[in-house]
Structure formats: C-alpha cells, structure tokens
Amino acid sequence: MIDDATTPEHETASWVTGVLAALQAAVLSLAVVVLPAVAVFVATSADPGNESTSWPAAVVTGAGLWLLAHGVPLVTAGSVVSVIPIGLTALAVLACYASARRTAQRTWSALGAAVGTYVLVTVLVVLLAGFAGAAQLGSAVLGGLGVAGLGAGAALLSTADRPDLPQWWGALERVPASARLGARAGLAAVAMVVAVASLLVLAWVFMGRSRSMDVVTALDVTGFDAAALALGQSTLVPNVVLWAVSWVAGPGFAVGSGSHFAPTDVVMGPMPVFPILGAMPAESLPGAFWLLGPAAVAAAGALAALLVRRAAERWRDVGLAGLTIGLTAGASTAVLMDLAGGSAGPGRMAEIGADPLVVGLVVGGEVAVGALLLLVLAHPTTRRGVTTGWRRLRRGDAKEDATDAPGEPTARTALTPRTARTARTSRTAPSPVSAPSVPSPPSAPAIPAPPVPSPPGPDASPPAVLGGGARGGAADAAEPDADERDGTDGPAASR
C-alpha cells in the first residue's frame, strides 16, 4: 500500500491519478456514443427531412444515450424511456476499469477520487444536456457511483499490490464458511443460467432470421444507416439475454403491454421496429417440455453447490449453504431483471421486460432446490447409508443364490430319520464312478469240523436240528433288524 503522507514530492499524488483515470473513462465512453450520433447527422444532413436538425441536437442525443446507460431516464415529447442499454453500461464499466488499471495508483484515496470525479462528470452531462429534473439528477448520482465503483474498484482489488483491506472487512471472516462460499456459488449459478439463456437467444435469432430480414427491408436502410442501426441493436443484446433468463425460469417477459412470451404461452402484439425483436419466440413449447427450463436452472444450482460441498459437513451447514445460494441467486437475478426492463415510450411500450420480484423468487427457489439436492446426496451420512444399504442388498442376494442352489437341501426341507441315514450312507459309500469295484478272488470252501460227541446226561435234551430250534429262529429273525440299524438291507446292500 502506498502511503499518501510519504509520497515523494516529484511523484503525482494518488488522488490526482484517480481524477485523471475518471476523466479518461468518461471521455472515452462518451465519445463512443456521441461521435456516431454526429456522424449519422453528417451523413443524413442532405436529406430534406433533416433540415431542422442541427449538430448540437445530435450531440444531445448521444449524451442522452450515454446517460441512459447510467440509469438516467430520458423524457422526450411527454414520454419516458427508461430501458437501460446494458451493452453501453458494460462499455462504461470497462472504460473505468481500463483507465484505473493504467493510470490510478493502488490507494484508497485514488479510488475515492476516481469515483467522485466520475459522479461529478455524470451530473455535469445531465445539466448540459438539459435533463435537469430531480429524478434525473438522483439517477445520475446513483449511476455514476455504480459504474465507477464497479470498474475502478475491480481494477484496484484485482492487482497484487492492492491496498490493505479496512478493518471492518475482517468481520466477514466471522461469517461461516458455508455462507461465504454459498454467496459465491449463488453468483456462479446465475452466471451459468445467463450462459444457457445466451445459447437460447442464438437459437431464437437463427429461427427468426426471416422475420428480422423483413424488418430490415421495411426500414429500407443501407450503408451507414444500416451500420448505425446494427450498432444500436448490439447495445440491447444483453437485455434480450436477460429476458431469456426469465423465459428459461418459467415466468416469461413482455415486449409491450398485453404481450407475453413464456414457455407455456405466447401472446404476440405490435412491437418496436427493431430487427432483433423479430427473433422473439413465436410458439410455446409442447407438452411438458417447458419443464426443461426450470430443470436447467436447478442443474445450475447443483453444479454451483460443488463449491460448497467440502464446507457443508454438518447438516446445519447444508441448510445454511443452500439458503445462501438461493438468496444470492434470487437477489442478483432480481437486480438484473430491473436493469433490463422499463419503459420504451408512450402507450403500450411503457411495459418491457419481466417482473423483477417474480423472476427473482422463481430463480432463487429453483437454484436452492438443485443446490440442496446435491448437498444432501453428497453428505457423508447419506453416502454411508447408501453404501451400507447396497452391501446389505448384495449379501441378501448372495444368500438367496446359495439357498436356491440345486442339489443342496433347503432350510425348509424336513428330513426323516431313515432319509438321513440313507443320505449319510450314500455320502460315505463310494460311488461306481469314483471307486470302481474290483472282484475279489474266490475263497476256499469252509470244511466243517467234525462234531465232538458229548456224553449224554440224564437230562440231556436231543441235539438241535441244523437251522431249526427256537434260538436259531430267533437269531435269524434278529439279523434283518441289525441290518436295518446299520442302514443296509443285508448282503445285497453290502455288495
């Protein structure tokens, strides 16, 4: 930061550099408007219809357009023109930025001198042009502050040697990070919506090129007049882009009382003779295609919320960030709609543009919905819940596949004792494929031993007959039961 008190005597004071920068910016932006007006007068001075027009009138007309770019309404023949040509306003802001960047020193005194000088020049132009009403003077002060403040302030703060911020600026650090980042994300969302509207206007111009050519033919302009008309129309292109923002969001806009251009309905009416207005949409969107516009605005809010995702780790921060994004987007859109609309003349031309309050509320709500949706889905709690549910679902599918596998008994199958023994035997016994049977060699026939006679006793019972008697019958009867307990059916089963 350069200290004004310690500035060497041979160097120019910082406030002087600010004054010079403001004068350069005002003269440059005035010349861009006044010189073409004078050139048009010179080119058409030979026309008998312009005999009563003098070159000072051309200068006043050019100065009036310059003031209109600063928000000063023009009052001519009892009618009020308040539609700001935003293209000229952007040109004035750019002139202030370039002049301050090149000439002014990086001090707060230079910035204050630049803004103050520019406001004085704006008021002086109002007085010299004859627009000395109270409303015009107040608008000149506000417009000069806005244009010079944006241009020179951006030049001062965008350099590496910018001055130290004031102490009150440090109070912003106490604001939660989610709110601070949410404000930036809201502006980013509006920028994305404006980009979408710009593409839409290009499509409108392409589809309505025949109507625009009919307007040019009806005006019968050639040569220098055609160039002046094209230059004048270029200053209104940003206005049409901002009107397209209201069309994308849903509420729509008007070009004259009684007309309405929206995705759901189109009501045409007499419009000013400007070729660019021939590009207005002639038909509404069929069916539910009009929902694509609000969906695009919500998608812009979701993309902008990516800037806040890391700062919204708590649910409180999620709500604060979503609310800040929506409020910033809605407020900035309302300001832009107010600048782009107004009055363009008497009668039905007193209403041009969109309702700032309605469009601001709609855009802010749609952006907030998209931002909150992304922040909720990207929250760690939500991600953990989705991951856990997916894992449980996959485990459940794996268990179901294992339960329904062929050849395996299910948990609902009831096994009887005999079926269980048979299953165990079938699992233990070798199958013919895995263990082929090998024939065993024939065994030698058993030679029965000769019976040894026992001396008969007095109570000796007669010898038991082979295969007969009570014990033999009982033993034979018990053999099948033993086989059943072993899970076999006798010798045949063993083979």
Side-chain angles (χ1 to χ4, degrees), residues 91 107 287 487:
L91 180 62
T107 63

Side-chain angles (χ1 to χ4, degrees), residues 130-235:
F131 308 111
Q136 284 83 357
L137 289 175
S139 300
V141 173
L142 293 178
L145 285 173
V147 171
L150 285 176
L156 179 68
L157 299 177
S158 61
T159 56
D161 57 343
R162 61 177 180 268
D164 296 332
L165 297 176
Q167 294 181 356
W168 59 266
W169 188 267
L172 296 178
E173 298 297 332
R174 302 176 184 177
V175 179
S178 58
R180 286 186 279 110
L181 294 176
R184 298 179 185 178
L187 295 177
V190 174
M192 285 186 280
V193 175
V194 171
V196 173
S198 302
L199 297 177
L200 179 64
V201 170
L202 289 177
W204 286 352
V205 170
F206 178 77
M207 292 185 293
R209 61 189 184 280
S210 59
R211 294 192 299 269
S212 299
M213 290 302 300
D214 293 341
V215 175
V216 173
T217 304
L219 291 175
D220 192 18
V221 291
T222 56
F224 189 82
D225 294 339
L229 179 61
L231 181 62
Q233 284 192 114
S234 64
T235 63

Side-chain angles (χ1 to χ4, degrees), residues 6 9 25 57 83 85 211 252 259 263 267 274 287 292 359 370 390 421 425 432 435 455-456 459 489:
T6 61
E9 294 182 358
V83 176
R211 294 192 299 269
S259 64
V267 179
F274 276 97
L292 294 176
V359 178
W390 175 251
R421 290 195 301 270
T425 305
D459 296 330
D489 292 333

